[in-house]
Amino acid sequence: MSDWYETAEAGDGITRIRERWVNAWVRCNIWLVRGRARDVVVDTGFGFRPLVDEVAALRERPVVAVASHTHFDHVGGHHQFDERWAHRAEADVLRDPDDHRTVWDLYRGEPLLDRLPHDGFDLDTWSVTPAPVTRVLADGDVIDLGDRVLEVVHLPGHSPGSICLLERATRTLFTGDVVYDGVLFDHLFHSDRAVYRESLARLVELPADTFHGGHDESFGRVRLEQLVDDYLSGRMPASG
């Protein structure tokens, strides 16, 4: 099925990739950031079909797959890449991605697909494929793309190893599931609400004006501040 992935240009050498036939409520944003020497793909979605084979932009330069965190909907395609980077707090999950630690056990059996990726595909038997980390990331690490750099910002709470990637030059932040334009999840088995509150308070202070989340649409600083304020004040609906 050649139309499994859809792409949209987001400016500044950034492309959003989505798995078209994954239900919108669980569909991950896959962000491709182009550099002179290498590209970075932030998260890989379910990866039900081969990303590199079917998204031409991923074949232009060497690509590093960075995990914003290791939940099933963000790292299913990581095994398709030779370079796989993640925060040290969740590196072991990519090495041994059991259904509990990837939280797939909470969603197995849910109707997640509008169309099957190929004949004979059985979502009930699918699990994240092991993809051992080739570089362990920590807060403050820099990812050099040749003509641009992304800074790792560790913001746990949603999960222990949740990270954002900050490009200071363009004031752009790739936020994973730390924040996106929807109800923020803080109820998973390894979520920590107190730590999450601290992370969101830190996030608001970062020098960014454009926010590309792990789900839903991108947004600006006014919306970011509203989302964080709604969560911290308790006005946001409970996530679980």
Side-chain angles (χ1 to χ4, degrees):
M1 188 179 301
S2 60
D3 64 347
W4 184 259
Y5 293 101
E6 60 182 10
T7 63
E9 295 304 313
D12 292 323
I14 299 166
T15 301
R16 185 191 67 198
I17 305 167
R18 286 177 171 171
E19 292 174 284
R20 185 191 305 268
W21 304 111
V22 173
N23 287 179
W25 66 273
V26 74
R27 182 175 58 209
C28 167
N29 290 327
I30 302 165
W31 295 104
L32 175 65
V33 186
R34 294 181 175 87
R36 184 179 61 232
R38 68 174 67 166
D39 295 345
V40 161
V41 60
V42 185
D43 295 333
T44 56
F46 284 92
F48 289 142
R49 292 181 63 87
L51 269 159
V52 175
D53 290 352
E54 300 191 17
V55 180
L58 288 168
R59 299 192 293 272
E60 295 175 358
R61 277 168 296 276
V63 182
V64 173
V66 175
S68 70
H69 62 302
T70 57
H71 289 164
F72 68 94
D73 50 329
H74 291 260
V75 296
H78 262 57
H79 67 283
Q80 301 171 16
F81 294 85
D82 293 333
E83 290 292 322
R84 304 173 295 270
W85 300 356
H87 190 269
R88 64 177 70 253
E90 295 182 27
D92 61 325
V93 180
L94 272 178
R95 184 179 64 250
D96 182 20
D98 64 82
D99 290 354
H100 179 59
R101 292 191 298 169
T102 62
V103 303
W104 178 231
D105 58 352
L106 299 179
Y107 294 86
R108 186 183 292 278
E110 294 285 343
L112 305 183
L113 299 178
D114 295 326
R115 192 182 293 182
L116 296 180
H118 56 79
D119 292 341
F121 179 81
D122 184 0
L123 185 60
D124 290 337
T125 63
W126 179 86
S127 291
V128 176
T129 299
V133 171
T134 59
R135 177 183 171 185
V136 173
L137 298 172
D139 189 66
D141 282 354
V142 169
I143 300 172
D144 187 352
L145 307 187
D147 57 344
R148 61 197 306 181
V149 295
L150 303 174
E151 179 183 334
V152 176
V153 185
H154 181 213
L155 294 174
H158 174 73
S159 73
S162 286
I163 61 171
C164 297
L165 297 181
L166 172 64
E167 185 172 43
R168 292 179 181 269
T170 59
R171 298 181 64 87
T172 299
L173 190 71
F174 299 90
T175 64
D177 279 4
V178 176
V179 66
Y180 45 84
D181 197 356
V183 176
L184 304 182
F185 275 39
D186 62 3
H187 66 284
L188 303 171
F189 82 96
H190 55 186
S191 299
D192 186 318
R193 291 175 179 172
V195 171
Y196 199 9
R197 293 174 67 88
E198 294 174 359
S199 289
L200 289 174
R202 181 186 176 197
L203 185 152
V204 170
E205 299 302 319
L206 293 174
D209 298 314
T210 300
F211 302 88
H212 296 310
H215 300 276
D216 303 309
E217 299 303 315
S218 300
F219 50 92
R221 174 153 289 276
V222 171
R223 180 58 175 155
L224 180 277
E225 293 176 352
Q226 181 181 28
L227 287 164
V228 172
D229 186 59
D230 284 349
Y231 180 87
L232 295 179
S233 66
R235 290 193 299 271
M236 181 172 288
S239 62

